[in-house]
Amino acid sequence: MGYKVGIVGATGAVGQEFIKLLGEREFPLSELKLFASARSAGKQVEALGQTITIEEATETCFEGLDFVLFSANGDLSKKLCPAAAKAGAVAIDNSSAFRMDPEVPLVVPEINGEAARAHKGIIANPNCSTAISLMGAYPLHKKFGLKRMIASTYQAVSGSGAEAMQELEDQVKAWSAGEPIEKNVYPHQIAFNALPHVDVFLENGYTKEEMKLVNESRKIMALPDLVASCTCVRVPVMRSHSISINAEFERPVSVEEARAAIAEAQGVDLVDDPENKVYPMPLDFAGKVNCGVGRIRKDLGYENGLAFWVVGDQLWKGAALNAIQIAEYLIK
Ligand code: 2RA
């Protein structure tokens, strides 16, 4: 038996990864429908060995579908996810529109997959930096009881979409050729730079991105009292996010115990042999299903503390893969 799957935002960076991963993971498809803006409607694309005509994403296009994977802006998700659910589909939404809605499960399958089964038609996919961070933090929480998490992210430009990836490439070329640098996606040059500015600034001095990591972590791990803070930085890396985490636990923890907890965890690789220059790096995890954890060491600031480093593919575990893993979880 196959499933009828729709993709909203099919022409975007994440939408393209949805298509690629559905094929590579041999998701049991009986039909694939691609939806995008009116501008793209009517275009024909090759996808999974078939020619598919892109349809305009509207409130009436979801009839008969089992799953609809959304990677569109929050406003469009707010409008169309309920329509998909009303049509009988499960809407898995990659925008932030429903993530903090108490009626909508926010899911990383390796952490709270069962929460997905309580859905009422819509399931929220976490922000990329959240999902990747928790792939390292959660296995340690399970063993040692996380009470404080301070995160600093080093985020790839893929998080801003295909245009940002092209902008980085163009800026590197222009810089190397001594030509003027064009800036369209970011307020400053991103090539050879680091921007402590991901998403918009809020009144509390944090950015929306930073508050997403704090608030979504609490919801996904069901830790409403988790003490957390975060700094999100955009760096000139193509498609993997890296996160430095300083964590304090309820119970004593050794580096060896932490390494063992990561080594046995699902969806994450222990990459931790700094003496031999072995640690997770963005280039190594681009296009990888698993995230990587390394640089595990006692935190110098907390009695029961650890510092560690997590890396994951922003387009995959940070977006398209996690959403498809939610669908896989529901059909298993
Ligand atoms: C970013 N997490 O990295 C945001 C959206 N994908 O820009």
Side-chain angles (χ1 to χ4, degrees):
M1 174 198 167
Y3 295 85
K4 297 180 178 179
V5 176
I7 295 174
V8 173
T11 57
V14 174
Q16 290 296 300
E17 296 303 321
F18 277 144
I19 296 169
K20 187 186 297 183
L21 284 164
L22 286 170
E24 286 186 7
R25 297 177 67 85
E26 297 180 347
F27 189 88
L29 279 176
S30 61
E31 184 179 11
L32 177 65
K33 296 191 114 180
L34 303 180
F35 304 104
S37 64
R39 192 177 61 247
S40 301
K43 284 180 188 167
Q44 291 199 319
V45 295
E46 294 304 310
L48 305 186
Q50 45 186 309
T51 302
I52 300 178
T53 302
I54 293 177
E55 301 173 51
E56 184 181 355
T58 67
E59 289 172 292
T60 57
C61 69
F62 304 117
E63 284 308 314
L65 293 176
D66 299 301
F67 291 98
V68 183
L69 305 173
F70 281 80
S71 182
N73 63 58
D75 291 339
L76 192 64
S77 288
K78 277 191 187 131
K79 184 178 159 204
L80 297 187
C81 286
K86 192 173 175 193
V90 178
I92 302 175
D93 180 34
N94 194 45
S95 84
S96 58
F98 298 97
R99 288 178 185 155
M100 299 316 291
D101 181 331
E103 296 301 308
V104 175
L106 175 63
V107 177
V108 176
E110 295 88 341
I111 297 175
N112 64 335
E114 275 308 301
R117 298 194 194 283
H119 74 79
K120 295 172 183 169
I122 300 172
I123 300 172
N125 206 39
N127 193 33
C128 40
S129 39
T130 305
I132 294 165
S133 297
L134 297 191
M135 288 304 289
Y138 184 69
L140 300 173
H141 163 61
K142 272 201 306 189
K143 289 275 175 115
F144 310 109
L146 185 66
K147 62 190 253 188
R148 182 197 307 258
M149 181 171 79
I150 314 299
S152 296
T153 72
Y154 304 74
Q155 299 186 214
V157 295
S158 58
S160 305
E163 186 188 355
M165 298 169 82
Q166 188 59 54
E167 179 159 302
L168 173 56
E169 195 175 313
D170 294 345
Q171 288 186 1
V172 171
K173 286 177 185 164
W175 176 285
S176 307
E179 293 165 359
I181 295 283
E182 296 288 321
K183 297 191 304 293
N184 299 303
V185 176
Y186 300 114
H188 307 287
Q189 174 181 326
I190 182 63
F192 313 106
N193 204 359
L195 277 55
H197 176 187
V198 180
D199 209 327
V200 297
F201 283 102
L202 302 170
E203 285 186 10
N204 68 357
Y206 285 78
T207 61
K208 266 190 174 180
E209 187 81 356
E210 291 160 348
M211 293 314 297
K212 285 176 184 175
L213 200 150
V214 169
N215 294 324
E216 292 174 22
S217 297
R218 290 176 177 149
K219 179 171 177 180
I220 294 164
M221 294 193 289
L223 293 175
D225 300 326
L226 174 69
V227 176
S229 188
C230 178
T231 301
C232 291
V233 182
R234 186 76 66 192
V235 292
V237 167
M238 269 301 170
R239 65 176 275 178
S240 296
H241 283 354
S242 306
I243 302 100
S244 169
I245 296 179
N246 296 80
E248 181 183 16
F249 300 92
E250 301 288 351
R251 298 181 285 280
V253 52
S254 69
V255 172
E256 293 67 29
E257 289 169 323
R259 282 181 176 154
I262 296 297
E264 70 187 33
Q266 264 203 331
V268 67
D269 297 335
L270 177 67
V271 184
D272 196 21
D273 182 6
E275 284 176 19
N276 292 303
K277 302 180 181 61
V278 175
Y279 27 72
M281 293 182 284
L283 282 178
D284 294 343
F285 278 84
K288 264 201 171 173
V289 167
N290 282 8
C291 297
V293 177
R295 294 295 323 277
I296 301 173
R297 58 204 190 277
K298 290 294 284 179
D299 187 284
L300 301 179
Y302 306 126
E303 181 62 28
N304 298 330
L306 284 175
F308 55 96
W309 174 256
V310 194
V311 176
D313 186 316
Q314 182 272 332
L315 289 172
W316 281 19
K317 192 55 187 176
L321 173 68
N322 194 75
I324 289 170
Q325 288 172 324
I326 292 171
E328 290 170 347
Y329 192 97
L330 291 176
I331 66 173
K332 69 180 182 184

